[in-house]
């Protein structure tokens, strides 16, 4: 059957008969497919998951990093008859889209526990990246900032040296005086 049939079958087995699945290849495959799905959702290229995406995943969990294997240029040129054998060091050949089967082959040396820990570490890394994306620096015309308040798309910043309250639109990064008159004490 198709890979989606395998996913459905694995999920059904895990849900209906968890005691029979414990320690089995079906459970292992389901875990790896779940991880591949997360990597797919955060891939670097619209065409699909490439080896660089898997290397990014591997960097999230040091113990697993040295046990994940990659396809060398020679293995790709040879039609994937052999491999993966390359460690994640050096240049990775990103001509290859990593489907479920190839992803399973790349993670074959990991234990079930390592797959779960790798999944958790990757999700945590993605959450941190998402947070960093939301908290990005904004160019500031201020020499020093005493206080900041955010309301909607605007950040309000007090500038006591100029006696004004400034605001910056966080998307366009346009600054303007919200209150006071520059250089005139007692106006803001």
């Amino acid at each position: 059957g198709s890979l989606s049939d395998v996913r459905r079958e694995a999920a059904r087995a895990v849900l209906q008969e968890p005691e029979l699945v414990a320690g089995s290849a079906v459970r292992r495959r389901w875990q790896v497919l779940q991880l591949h799905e997360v990597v797919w959702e955060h891939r670097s290229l619209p065409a699909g998951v490439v080896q660089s995406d898997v290397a990014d995943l591997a960097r999230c969990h040091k113990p697993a990093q040295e046990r994940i294997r990659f396809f060398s240029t020679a293995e790709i040129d040879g039609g994937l008859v052999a491999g993966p054998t390359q460690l994640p060091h050096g240049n990775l050949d990103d001509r290859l889209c990593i489907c479920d089967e190839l992803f399973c082959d790349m993670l074959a040396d990991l234990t079930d526990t390592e797959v779960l820990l790798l999944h958790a570490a990757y999700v945590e890394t993605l959450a941190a990246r998402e947070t960093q994306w939301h908290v990005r620096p904004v160019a500031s015309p201020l020499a020093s900032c005493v206080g900041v308040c955010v309301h909607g798309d605007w950040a309000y910043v007090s500038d006591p040296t100029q006696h004004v309250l400034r605001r910056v639109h966080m998307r366009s990064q346009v600054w303007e005086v919200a209150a006071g008159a520059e250089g005139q004490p007692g106006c803001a």
Side-chain angles (χ1 to χ4, degrees):
S2 72
L3 289 175
S4 49
D5 290 340
V6 171
R7 280 188 177 164
R8 264 193 302 280
E9 193 175 304
R12 185 175 38 251
V14 167
L15 294 173
Q16 292 177 352
E17 302 177 53
E19 65 282 348
L20 296 177
V21 177
S24 75
V26 174
R27 187 193 69 204
R28 160 66 180 215
R29 182 162 175 74
W30 184 75
Q31 290 170 340
V32 172
L33 292 176
Q34 292 291 82
L35 181 55
H36 184 261
E37 196 168 298
V38 175
V39 174
W40 172 266
E41 291 170 359
H42 296 90
R43 66 193 181 276
S44 59
L45 300 174
V49 175
V50 293
Q51 293 197 105
S52 295
D53 296 323
V54 180
D56 188 39
L57 163 72
R59 282 188 288 275
C60 295
H61 191 254
K62 294 290 182 199
Q65 189 171 4
E66 295 299 319
R67 296 170 45 86
I68 295 176
R69 298 290 181 253
F70 295 83
F71 291 93
S72 67
T73 299
E75 290 167 339
I76 293 170
D77 291 342
L80 304 177
V81 175
T85 59
Q86 181 179 333
L87 289 171
H89 307 297
N91 294 330
L92 295 173
D93 192 334
D94 276 343
R95 294 179 295 157
L96 179 65
C97 280
I98 308 300
C99 66
D100 291 344
E101 293 298 322
L102 296 178
F103 189 71
C104 288
D105 291 344
M106 295 171 80
L107 273 60
D109 291 345
L110 299 181
T111 66
D112 292 353
T113 302
E114 286 173 323
V115 170
L116 291 173
L117 292 173
L118 180 60
H119 190 164
Y122 187 58
V123 169
E124 187 176 308
T125 299
L126 293 173
R129 286 181 190 163
E130 183 68 20
T131 302
Q132 290 171 350
W133 178 82
H134 287 294
V135 182
R136 61 187 174 135
V138 177
S140 170
L142 304 176
S144 64
C145 171
V146 174
V148 177
C149 175
V150 176
H151 181 67
D153 288 339
W154 293 93
Y156 293 85
V157 182
S158 63
D159 185 354
T161 60
Q162 292 299 313
H163 309 283
V164 294
L165 178 65
R166 299 182 189 274
R167 72 180 192 164
V168 59
H169 191 267
M170 293 191 299
R171 292 184 189 183
S172 67
Q173 297 186 8
V174 173
W175 286 85
E176 57 188 49
V177 174
E182 287 197 50
Q184 295 183 13
C187 292

